[in-house]
Amino acid sequence: MSKRSLVLTTHRQQLLALIEAQRNQFGHDASILHAPLNLADKGLSVVRYLYHHPVLTIGSTLLLATRRPRGMGKWLRRGWMVWQVARGLRKSQSASHTQL
C-alpha cells in the first residue's frame, strides 16, 4: 500500500470515528428534547381542536362565567390569546401552502 493510500485510509477512519461520535451526541440531544417537543405538539393539537370547534370553546367559557364570575377576565384574555394564535397559525399554514 502506498504512503498516500495509507494516509487517506487513516484519515477516513478518523472521519468515520468523528461521524459516529456526532451521531451519538445528536441522539442524546434529541432524546432530551423529545418530552418538551411532545408537550408542545399536544398543545398545538388542543389549540387546533378548539379552533375548529368554536361552539365548544364559547360554551365552556359561558359555563365557567356562570359558575365562577370572579377571575373570568383573566381566562377570557387567555382564551382570546389562544384564539389569535390559532388564527395566526391557520393563516401562516394557508400562506405556506399557496407558495408551494
Side-chain angles (χ1 to χ4, degrees):
M1 187 179 274
S2 70
K3 186 174 181 178
R4 177 169 162 72
S5 181
L6 183 62
V7 169
L8 288 175
T9 302
T10 305
H11 185 63
R12 182 178 187 274
Q13 289 172 347
Q14 290 171 344
L15 288 175
L16 289 174
L18 178 63
I19 290 169
E20 183 66 26
Q22 289 174 344
R23 271 195 196 127
N24 290 336
Q25 184 63 42
F26 181 76
H28 176 68
D29 293 344
S31 68
I32 291 172
L33 293 175
H34 180 71
L37 291 176
N38 193 23
L39 181 64
D41 189 38
K42 287 180 182 180
L44 284 175
S45 296
V46 169
V47 169
R48 286 185 192 116
Y49 180 82
L50 292 175
Y51 183 79
H52 290 293
H53 299 87
V55 174
L56 178 65
T57 306
I58 293 169
S60 61
T61 303
L62 290 175
L63 180 66
L64 284 172
T66 59
R67 295 290 181 180
R68 298 178 185 254
R70 188 174 30 151
M72 273 306 294
K74 176 175 69 171
W75 286 103
L76 288 173
R77 282 191 300 274
R78 287 179 181 171
W80 181 252
M81 184 177 65
V82 167
W83 183 266
Q84 294 299 319
V85 167
R87 284 184 61 203
L89 287 173
R90 187 173 184 142
K91 285 181 183 179
S92 67
Q93 285 178 349
S94 64
S96 68
H97 287 296
T98 57
Q99 291 177 355
L100 297 176

